[in-house]
Amino acid sequence: MKITVVGTGYVGLVTGTCFAETGNEVTCVDIDVNKVAKLSSGQITIYEPGLEKLFERNLKEDRLHFTTSLEEGIKDAVVIFLALPTPPGADGAADLSFVLNVADQLGKLITDYKVIVDKSTVPVGTAAKVTAAIARNAKVPFDVVSNPEFLREGVAVDDFMKPDRVVIGTESERARKIMGELFAPFVRQGNPVLYMDENSAELTKYAANSFLATKISFMNEIAILCEKLGADVDMVRRGIGSDDRIGKRFLFPGIGYGGSCFPKDVQALVRSAEAVAYDFKILNAVMDVNEDQKLFLLPKIKAFFNGDLKGKHFALWGLAFKPNTDDIREAPALYMIEALLQEGATVTVFDPEAMNNVKNQLGDKISYADHQYTCLENADALLIATEWSVFRTPDFNKISAALKHKAIFDGRNLFEVSRMKELGYHYESVGRTPVLS
């Protein structure tokens, strides 16, 4: 099948590459001339484990193409996916201008029946708006389908190739048949394809991300309570996670969630609720908790240094909002860095993949190390903000030899408290008994 994907960000590039991997001919469209040139020459523009191999293979096999021309890109396509940004506007609601602008252009360009698919995360009612935008100029029949993505950065290729479920929002039998054929290779093991109306499909995406964000904020509040009551959040997490009604995932406390999805999707759902005069109390609390959690370690750090961080120098491991990605959007590490700088401290950072993105954003406000241990040189303490695997079993002798103070402030609970006590560290984490020096 011939497919067009408009937008080559995380969702667009993964979507286009994975569809090409199952034999489809895919053309990806983007207005960024430099990005299209890089992709066309075989240079992948995002870090996502497993994607580069598929990208190179399908480019070589001539199943994956890139262009800046929307007219060229949609020629002969049966399905057109819109994988465009929907950033929060000034009021927190999703900005649909990119999506609706392309929809308006499509109405002028399509010359035969097309299925236009909203792959972007969009609020309820977007399919109707896209339909109206296309219909203003279209002279041929078309259908607009909502097909939300459920990709996790770091495992996006696996999520696409072996989805837990595929949600397809359409009331058109013609579009349903085409979408079912397109996704058939990905659900051969029996995972469900869920057909529903467009509004329900759009809300499903927001509801899923908001529920997961709620679990994270709930556990972060439990972690705070654990510290106040003398309980251990790891024990509590295991105790409740063994209940299959709750599940083990998204129960790890830390310094808050970030990324391109949870923050904006929770906010957008709250704004959608406000638009129909509904006060979504739980999600407002989720956002408040997460905002506070980003700086959870700061009071602990200040207390260790008697309230004065001026002139102190910190090593920070981890910049990406989560491991196995270079995405720093809403990364808690960045909030911690800004807070430390405001306190008069200096910071050297290390991350396996996200360094260049942070350099582009922060420039020379901080220092950048080429290795996790050189990052520690002349530092008063080590802070951990992202749970990369390479940080889980470090050489503690190298750490203690490099630091001025044998102190670690761990925002991701990477190490066992008992182990840190044996090693003689001052060690503070989230929701567990501190080891005080």
Side-chain angles (χ1 to χ4, degrees):
M1 191 180 298
K2 291 190 176 182
I3 299 167
T4 300
V5 179
V6 184
T8 59
Y10 277 92
V11 174
L13 194 55
V14 171
T15 297
T17 303
C18 290
F19 275 135
E21 180 67 10
T22 55
N24 298 292
E25 184 176 335
V26 180
T27 300
C28 296
V29 181
D30 201 292
I31 61 172
D32 188 328
V33 176
N34 291 330
K35 183 189 284 189
V36 168
K38 288 179 179 178
L39 291 167
S40 297
S41 65
Q43 183 178 344
I44 200 164
T45 53
I46 62 171
Y47 174 76
E48 181 62 41
L51 182 62
E52 187 169 7
K53 182 179 179 180
L54 300 187
F55 171 81
E56 290 174 350
R57 177 162 61 228
N58 286 283
L59 202 63
K60 181 180 179 181
E61 294 294 331
D62 203 34
R63 290 192 296 264
L64 187 59
H65 312 90
F66 299 90
T67 180
T68 57
S69 170
L70 183 62
E71 184 175 10
E72 176 188 333
I74 67 169
K75 186 179 180 181
D76 300 325
V78 177
V79 183
I80 302 169
F81 285 87
L82 306 183
L84 295 155
T86 54
D91 61 352
D95 180 357
L96 297 178
S97 59
F98 297 101
V99 173
L100 295 179
N101 179 55
V102 171
D104 182 68
Q105 294 179 60
L106 287 174
K108 302 170 186 176
L109 294 174
I110 58 176
T111 57
D112 56 2
Y113 175 79
K114 308 287 186 188
V115 177
I116 293 98
V117 183
D118 285 330
K119 197 67 175 171
S120 307
T121 300
V122 293
V124 173
T126 299
K129 292 179 180 179
V130 170
T131 299
I134 297 171
R136 278 195 292 268
N137 298 295
K139 295 179 173 60
V140 294
F142 66 92
D143 282 308
V144 174
V145 172
S146 178
N147 172 224
E149 54 85 15
F150 299 98
L151 307 180
R152 296 168 294 163
E153 289 184 35
V155 288
V157 172
D158 284 345
D159 283 347
F160 198 101
M161 301 300 288
K162 301 174 183 177
D164 290 333
R165 78 291 203 195
V166 175
V167 172
I168 296 174
T170 182
E171 295 174 273
S172 162
E173 284 301 319
R174 187 176 182 182
R176 173 174 173 155
K177 182 178 179 180
I178 291 171
M179 294 296 288
E181 178 184 339
L182 183 59
F183 278 100
F186 303 97
V187 292
R188 294 180 65 195
Q189 293 181 331
N191 288 347
V193 178
L194 306 174
Y195 295 97
M196 58 187 72
D197 63 274
E198 296 89 340
N199 284 0
S200 296
E202 290 165 344
L203 186 54
T204 295
K205 168 65 175 182
Y206 279 116
N209 278 358
S210 295
F211 183 75
L212 296 175
T214 299
K215 289 183 74 173
I216 293 170
S217 283
F218 176 81
M219 281 308 298
N220 282 334
E221 290 223 278
I222 290 294
I224 293 170
L225 196 57
C226 282
E227 292 193 5
K228 293 181 179 296
L229 296 177
D232 186 325
V233 74
D234 282 344
M235 299 297 104
V236 176
R237 172 178 59 78
R238 292 168 189 161
I240 67 174
S242 60
D243 186 330
D244 60 12
R245 296 171 301 175
I246 297 172
K248 300 175 182 179
R249 299 170 68 183
F250 290 87
L251 293 182
F252 289 85
I255 52 174
Y257 59 76
S260 63
C261 294
F262 286 8
K264 76 176 183 65
D265 290 356
V266 173
Q267 190 177 52
L269 186 53
V270 169
R271 297 296 173 262
S272 291
E274 290 175 350
V276 291
Y278 181 70
D279 179 12
F280 212 138
K281 299 179 183 67
I282 289 177
L283 290 189
N284 277 301
V286 167
M287 291 190 294
D288 289 344
V289 170
N290 195 62
E291 194 65 25
D292 292 342
Q293 202 69 16
K294 294 170 185 175
L295 299 181
F296 178 81
L297 292 178
L298 190 61
K300 299 174 185 287
I301 297 167
K302 291 183 71 173
F304 180 78
F305 290 102
N306 299 313
D308 185 11
L309 301 184
K310 189 174 183 179
K312 301 300 180 186
H313 181 64
F314 295 96
L316 187 144
W317 283 358
L319 296 168
F321 85 94
K322 62 181 285 189
N324 297 320
T325 181
D326 61 355
D327 196 342
I328 60 169
R329 285 173 287 185
E330 293 297 317
L334 301 186
Y335 290 85
M336 179 61 67
I337 289 169
E338 291 291 353
L340 292 171
L341 295 178
Q342 289 179 15
E343 293 285 340
T346 55
V347 184
T348 297
V349 301
F350 173 77
D351 186 283
E353 294 294 339
M355 301 273 276
N356 287 335
N357 288 341
V358 173
K359 284 182 183 179
N360 291 336
Q361 183 167 323
L362 297 183
D364 59 3
K365 292 171 68 175
I366 59 175
S367 300
Y368 307 88
D370 58 5
H371 194 278
Q372 69 186 84
Y373 295 115
T374 58
C375 180
L376 305 172
E377 293 174 3
N378 299 314
D380 288 282
L382 168 62
L383 318 180
I384 301 174
T386 311
E387 61 275 31
W388 284 93
S389 294
V390 71
F391 300 153
R392 292 185 179 275
T393 53
D395 187 328
F396 287 106
N397 290 327
K398 287 184 178 180
I399 295 175
S400 59
L403 295 177
K404 293 179 182 178
H405 303 275
K406 203 173 179 180
I408 298 176
F409 297 88
D410 183 356
R412 298 301 177 187
N413 290 5
L414 293 191
F415 311 133
E416 292 293 335
V417 172
S418 58
R419 173 68 168 152
M420 300 310 288
K421 188 173 183 179
E422 290 175 4
L423 292 171
Y425 277 87
H426 179 99
Y427 179 69
E428 298 195 59
S429 51
V430 183
R432 304 186 296 176
T433 303
V435 179
L436 304 178
S437 60

